[in-house]
Structure formats: structure tokens, C-alpha cells
Amino acid sequence: MSRYRIQNPATGEVVETFEAASDEQIEQALKNADAAYREWRERSIQERAAVVRRVAELFGERKEELAAIIAREMGKPLAEGIEEVEFAASIIDYYGVYGPSLAVDQEIPSTIPGKATIENLPVGVLLGVMPWNFPYYQVARFAAPNLVLGNTILLKHADICPRSSLAIQQIMEDAGVPLGGYANIFATHEQIAAIIADPRVQGVSLTGSERAGSIIGEQAGRHLKKAVLELGGNDPMIVLDSDDVAALAADAWNFRVYNGGQVCNGNKRMIVMEDIYDEFVAELKKLAEGLVAGDPLNMPERGYGPLSSRAAAEQVNDQVQRAVAGGATLEAGGVLVEGESAYYSPAVLTGISRESPSFREEIFGPVATVFRVSSDEEALELANDCDFGLGGSVFSTDEARAAKIASRIEAGMAHVNIIAAEAAELPFGGVKRSGFGREMGPLGMGEFVNKRFYFVAD
């Protein structure tokens, strides 16, 4: 089967296939990206930012068409797809508007007579390796700040997202990014390794699985290239108390099943105090019952979309079945549809034992796993007993009580009384096995930049 292909997850049908790039095409893309960098970096940052603002405008203008592409590629319901494109546009626009001030030179005091400055300069060609779960948003948060800085980009997207990745390149070119300044490449694994090794390439950013992150991180380290890795998550959502358990359970459910539960910073472990646990689980079960498999292009009321692929749906089903075999209870949902499609009904899973291998696994699908605890300390200890460290949240009517726990969550992002605060200006990233580096907000400008020290003596 061709590596790059559109295989409609609602039907299993392979709709279109694409040839992988030849080594000659990859070399040409590298040449073009390097040449574009030498021209792009000479333009003023305001000029580059104006082009990036135009990119954001084009995303907005084409949002229906872009959303329809990913509905077919990875099964995202149209309304969610439009939301994603709008969010991507807001991130791109944020860097177009605020990027120049975020990258401004900083003068520092000096005991040596003269003027000492820290500059923010581009570094060159960058490689992005992006996942299928948010085909536009993931690219936006990597590409926008780096284009404003003056870097150029080679983008290797997920194998199942060829049309959306080509659409992004088209937008970049239509907006005025110089030819080669942003290039989509249908690269093989071997070609990715060669690109990372190439002296013209100065860094690599990957969003994806732990496994992919460890491979790319190793290759980057071997060739002394800067890397940003945004990997998996198994984020805790601690519920200490609530004056409206049903509403909080609904928020928890909606966030968990959004995008088919295929969200890095999803609230994958709901840790609930014992006095409201039964009510919380009962509310989740209500929400999980009576759902119907729906067409992503025309989603019915109470409908759910397919996962990204049949293999993804089978993996989630296998993980849940193994958890049940280890003593967990499947309270609702969790049905893998027969046939070739990728439908897996959103599920509620309780009673996973701390000793079970399933306790350590990230389930990348629409499965709400719920744990019962009897003290704040137990909740915190359970939350931090995790190999990942992306995000986490704590809920209570007593903000100080929640904050005391949230301040001790071992994660790159900690929240009180909101599952995940997400906006163009807010940083995103993790610790532990969730990777390193930050995207979005002011920190997104600081990863692939030459913070050059510049001194002019008196």
C-alpha cells in the first residue's frame, strides 16, 4: 500500500494515493529551502510578519474547504474541523501581529564600557514532523513563529494527511512566502534521517508518539541539532468537590471525547473524590449511552466520528480489553464496529488497578478512565504516578485547596478549575516522557533562534 494516501476512516476505502518523494526531490527541496532562507532572513521582521498575517487570512477564507479535506483524511467532524482551522488562523495571526515585538533585541547592563545586546536571529532551515490528529493546528504552532523569525521550513506531515499538507503549502505560497520557504515533503523514514543529518538543516520539531520522539531525538542528538519534542500525555483531572457534579462531568466528557479522544493533552485520567465518585461516573455513563456512529461530513445529533484509522480503533479496543482482563470495568460504550471502518464508541472505564500494565498506558481514543480516591494527598500521588508530564487540572469550589495540589502536579501545564486553557498566546509543552521545548505564546518564538550576544565597545 502506498505510504501517503487518503483512506476514508468512515468507510475504510482508499480514495487517493501519492508517490513518496525521490531522493532528488528531497535534495531539491533542501536546496530551495536553504536559498529561500538566505533571501527571507534579509527581509525586515515586519515584512515577514505581514506575509504571515496574510497566511492567517487565507486559512480563514478557506476554512470550509480545509475542514472538508480532514473530514475525509482523518475523520474529524466538519464543525470540529472548522474550529481547528479557526484556531490555527488565530495562532498564525498572533505571531504575525506580536512576533516582531517578541523577537526584539534586549540590551543588558555591562561592566565593560560599551553596549551589550542579546539579539534574536534566525538559524536556517528547520524540519517539522507533524501528526494527523490536528493537521492544521500542529503545523501553525511550529511554522508561524519560525517564519516570522526568518527561518524556512520543510514539513513532513502524517502519511494519512497528504491533501491537507499540500493545501497548507499552497496557502503559504499564495500568501507570499518565497518558493522553498515552506515546502511539504512526502518523505520516507530514511529521507527524514538524511534531512536531519544534512548540514543545511538546523533543527527539528516533532509532535507525535513517544516512540517517534525517541527516534527523532536520537537522530537530532547524533547530529547536534536542536530538537523540540511534543509527545504523549496521560493528563490527570482531579475532582475534589463540586457544587454541580453533572455539569462538571459533562465538561470532562466533552473534553475527553473531543476529536475522537485523539488529543495529546486530553483529561485521560479522571481522579474523583469518593463522596462524589458514584454520581460522577453515573453522569459519564448517561453521556456515553445512545450514541450513534455518524458521517464526519454530516454529523447527526448524538453522533460520534471514526478514529483516524482502523488500526487506531483496533489499538484502543485492544487496550480497553486488556484493562478489563486485568480487572477493570467497562461501564459504557467501547464497541468496535465490524468491518473496515474506524468507529469505536466512546467509553467509560473504571477500576484500573495501579498494578495493571494498563495503568501506565496512554489511551489515544475516546475512553474516560475514572479513579476513586479518598484524600487530597492520594489524589496528588496518583496524578504524579505517571511517566508522562504534559498537563493536568484540579477542580474544587475551594480555589486555595485546588491550587495547593495543582502547584505540585509534575507537568508542563497545570490548571485550576479548567481542564486546559488553550489560546494562541498561551504556551504548550511538557516534561518527563511528554518531551521538551515549548510552542505557542511568547515561548514559541524562543526555540529555534540564535540568541546572539552582540557587543559594541565604547
Side-chain angles (χ1 to χ4, degrees):
M1 189 189 285
S2 172
R3 240 183 98 78
Y4 288 89
R5 67 193 181 284
I6 298 173
Q7 184 167 12
N8 187 339
T11 62
E13 178 195 1
V14 177
V15 181
E16 196 175 2
T17 59
F18 297 76
E19 284 298 310
S22 66
D23 290 345
E24 292 73 27
Q25 287 170 318
I26 295 292
E27 173 55 29
Q28 192 59 55
L30 278 160
K31 261 190 193 147
N32 293 349
D34 189 49
Y37 166 63
R38 291 172 200 292
E39 184 245 311
W40 186 236
R41 70 179 180 186
E42 296 305 322
R43 297 197 201 181
S44 74
I45 194 166
Q46 283 76 17
E47 194 183 339
R48 293 193 298 264
V51 172
V52 169
R53 288 200 302 276
R54 181 66 187 138
V55 172
E57 282 175 10
L58 291 177
F59 265 85
E61 286 170 20
R62 298 177 191 178
K63 64 186 177 186
E64 278 87 4
E65 167 199 339
L66 294 173
I69 293 171
I70 59 174
R72 283 186 288 269
E73 284 181 337
M74 51 71 65
K76 194 182 302 264
L78 267 183
E80 288 187 21
I82 289 170
E83 263 177 30
E84 180 189 335
V85 178
E86 289 172 343
F87 192 14
S90 76
I91 293 165
I92 297 164
D93 187 66
Y94 169 84
Y95 286 108
V97 173
Y98 297 103
S101 60
L102 293 173
V104 77
D105 293 350
Q106 180 193 358
E107 198 175 333
I108 56 171
S110 167
T111 56
I112 298 169
K115 185 178 177 184
T117 308
I118 297 169
E119 301 173 311
N120 290 282
L121 302 177
V123 291
V125 181
L126 304 175
L127 171 66
V129 181
M130 293 295 136
W132 45 259
N133 58 336
F134 290 94
Y136 303 116
Y137 157 78
Q138 298 286 6
V139 171
R141 41 190 230 174
F142 165 60
N146 285 303
L147 287 170
V148 172
L149 279 165
N151 296 319
T152 56
I153 288 167
L154 295 173
L155 203 293
K156 185 263 178 235
H157 219 314
D159 307 352
I160 64 172
C161 294
R163 276 278 158 227
S164 53
S165 57
L166 289 169
I168 296 169
Q169 178 177 316
Q170 190 64 56
I171 285 174
M172 294 287 181
E173 290 173 2
D174 291 350
V177 175
L179 197 68
Y182 179 98
N184 176 69
I185 48 172
F186 291 143
T188 64
H189 292 314
E190 294 73 27
Q191 288 168 336
I192 290 299
I195 291 166
I196 293 171
D198 193 288
R200 290 166 290 193
V201 173
Q202 299 305 311
V204 55
S205 178
L206 171 128
T207 299
S209 66
E210 269 183 287
R211 183 173 160 271
S214 63
I215 293 167
I216 294 291
E218 183 181 355
Q219 291 170 351
R222 190 182 312 141
H223 299 288
L224 304 178
K225 302 296 171 73
K226 171 75 189 273
V228 167
L229 302 177
E230 199 270 278
L231 310 177
N234 207 354
D235 292 8
M237 174 187 176
I238 298 174
V239 181
L240 302 175
D241 62 74
S242 172
D243 49 17
D244 191 341
V245 174
L248 186 52
D251 287 348
W253 176 257
N254 291 335
F255 199 86
R256 184 64 191 102
V257 301
Y258 186 75
N259 200 37
Q262 301 163 126
V263 181
C264 307
N265 64 325
N267 49 333
K268 299 192 179 100
R269 295 179 297 143
M270 300 175 198
I271 298 168
V272 183
M273 206 56 74
E274 61 185 0
D275 55 341
I276 55 170
Y277 173 90
D278 289 339
E279 185 185 350
F280 192 91
V281 170
E283 291 295 333
L284 292 178
K285 285 168 71 173
K286 272 188 220 167
L287 295 163
E289 278 155 6
L291 301 179
V292 291
D295 178 356
L297 290 164
N298 186 19
M299 191 56 68
E301 191 70 30
R302 303 281 291 154
Y304 66 92
L307 299 195
S308 62
S309 66
R310 180 70 188 182
E314 287 174 353
Q315 181 177 354
V316 170
N317 184 58
D318 181 55
Q319 286 178 293
V320 170
Q321 292 305 321
R322 277 190 284 111
V324 169
T329 303
L330 182 58
E331 304 273 0
V335 177
L336 179 65
V337 172
E338 296 284 316
E340 298 301 308
S341 76
Y343 287 96
Y344 181 83
S345 63
V348 180
L349 189 64
T350 62
I352 295 180
S353 147
R354 297 276 290 268
E355 287 67 50
S356 159
S358 301
F359 178 75
R360 303 250 151 234
E361 291 182 2
E362 173 187 26
I363 299 180
F364 210 62
V367 181
T369 59
V370 198
F371 298 86
R372 183 199 301 262
V373 290
S374 56
S375 72
D376 292 18
E377 277 304 317
E378 186 189 358
L380 178 67
E381 193 271 326
L382 176 62
N384 285 337
D385 184 14
C386 180
D387 303 329
F388 296 99
L390 192 52
S393 58
V394 186
F395 287 78
S396 175
T397 53
D398 179 347
E399 192 182 297
R401 180 186 176 196
K404 190 176 172 189
I405 294 182
S407 68
R408 295 168 65 199
I409 286 179
E410 295 164 0
M413 303 176 284
H415 303 78
V416 172
N417 290 334
I418 184 173
I419 298 169
E422 295 180 289
E425 69 278 6
L426 304 178
F428 190 105
V431 295
K432 300 202 270 191
R433 293 189 71 83
S434 291
F436 43 79
R438 294 293 180 268
E439 294 183 301
M440 311 252 283
L443 302 186
M445 291 292 284
E447 293 291 353
F448 297 102
V449 58
N450 174 9
K451 291 190 177 293
R452 187 171 74 172
F453 166 59
Y454 185 70
F455 194 88
V456 179
D458 282 349

